[in-house]
Amino acid sequence: MTTDSSASSLIIGGAASSPRAPLPTLPPLALYIHIPWCVRKCPYCDFNSHTASPVLPEQEYVDALLADLDQDLHAVYGRELTSIFFGGGTPSLFSAEALGRLLKGVEQRIPFAADIEITLEANPGTFEQEKFVAYRKLGINRLSIGIQSFQQEKLEALGRIHNGDEAVRAAGMARQAGFDNFNLDLMHGLPDQSLDDALSDLRQAIALKPTHISWYQLTLEPNTVFWNQPPVLPEDDTLWDIQEAGQTLLAEHGYAQYEVSAYAQVGRPARHNLNYWSFGDFIGIGAGAHGKLSHPDGRIVRTWKTRLPKDYLNPAKSFQAGEKSLSNDEMPFEFLMNALRLTAGVESRLYPERTGLSLETLAEGRREAEQSGLLQVEPSRLAATERGQLFLNDLLQQFLN
């Protein structure tokens, strides 16, 4: 498997490619910070989350996060951070004091863009008005609130610790705390959910006037309680009706779909996620965090960190669990599995700019995908058709070597 920029030509998807070139410019840089603790692990969740003890090791974890970041600074190359995303777990379990010390430490190491977007994930059950006012004063300017449903029986089926009233109040408290930009996370295809149930949840979310709604179907993932003890989910016909009716409802209220499961008001898509989907760079710090970093010589490296919090906090163990340099033959799939999630796709020129490879390396797969009606016939863009968005896995198969 060839990884260096001086490699001889490879055959990718049946078309000869030139060696990977040094990148003309490095992509925007973001930071993902993983805080792995939750009040309780949900039965559908396959994220790296762990039930919190009564006292969280905040100070020790912040120290570890900054030390972890220090080891990735070699890949910054003078860039500034365009966005920061606190994910989990439930990052809002941490105090404003701990997050403030962390953000100060990050900014001392990497400059912030003047318009940096800083998002914090939070659950309604962790909302405290005073704490969220303090978060806003730290410079955190976007919240992502994990609602999932407003209906009590659905929340209980999902193992959530909040109720519908708390979910409604959380949105109001976010706005009162000074957040004029926030996302509501909502699921559909829940156990025994009807079309009316799903649309009721959506209407309630829309009534709270978030700037962004993440609306996605519940899937049963390996290594979860639901995988081993699957609930009764709606039939395929019902799931299809929910998807079609929900997308229509969101569009009628000014929420434009810009990604498979993301809908935003005009000018309010999630900047952090847009960077991710357009093959931008991101440092990942924290237990189990993943990163993707480009180097001027053309190397693109994916990294992943030690998963268990106790190991991550153990000074005898390394923060980094592994890394992998992407080879030329992996690059088409790696780029497109992100870019084609965007409903508008990306400009074609972004592929050579972000990968160092010629568009010719996509030629055969692109031709087959266009002939199959999965990829738009548009030389200046790489974008799935409506059918391609429905069958994205089939589309991406065209670009696997």
Side-chain angles (χ1 to χ4, degrees), residues 60-72 284-289 303-309 311-322:
E60 298 91 335
Y61 197 70
V62 169
D63 289 341
L65 287 168
L66 292 173
D68 187 359
L69 179 59
D70 283 336
Q71 296 186 7
D72 284 336
I285 60 173
T303 63
W304 54 97
K305 303 299 173 65
T306 298
R307 183 175 176 83
L308 293 177
D311 292 337
Y312 186 81
L313 289 169
N314 185 345
K317 294 183 179 290
S318 172
F319 294 121
Q320 185 154 302

Side-chain angles (χ1 to χ4, degrees), residues 182-204:
F182 65 92
N183 167 66
L184 297 183
D185 247 11
L186 209 61
M187 283 186 178
H188 61 89
L190 306 181
D192 298 316
Q193 187 178 50
S194 67
L195 173 61
D196 287 343
D197 289 339
L199 293 182
S200 174
D201 270 347
L202 258 187
R203 290 191 183 98
Q204 177 63 81

Side-chain angles (χ1 to χ4, degrees), residues 86 99 103 118-120 135-136 138-143 179:
F86 288 92
L99 296 187
L103 283 172
I118 305 178
T119 300
L120 179 84
Y135 287 159
R136 185 66 189 89
L138 295 177
I140 296 170
N141 52 20
R142 185 175 181 272
L143 291 178
F179 290 95

Side-chain angles (χ1 to χ4, degrees), residues 21-57:
L23 300 181
T25 58
L26 291 174
L29 181 67
L31 174 65
Y32 175 77
I33 302 171
H34 192 76
I35 296 180
W37 292 284
C38 283
V39 174
R40 184 171 67 194
K41 180 86 170 179
C42 295
Y44 59 84
C45 179
D46 68 335
F47 295 134
N48 185 32
S49 61
H50 305 265
T51 301
S53 58
V55 179
L56 290 173

Side-chain angles (χ1 to χ4, degrees), residues 240 374 384-397:
W240 180 256
L374 300 175
T385 61
E386 286 188 20
R387 183 166 178 266
Q389 289 170 17
L390 293 173
F391 300 99
L392 195 54
N393 288 338
D394 293 338
L395 170 54
L396 291 171
Q397 289 296 315

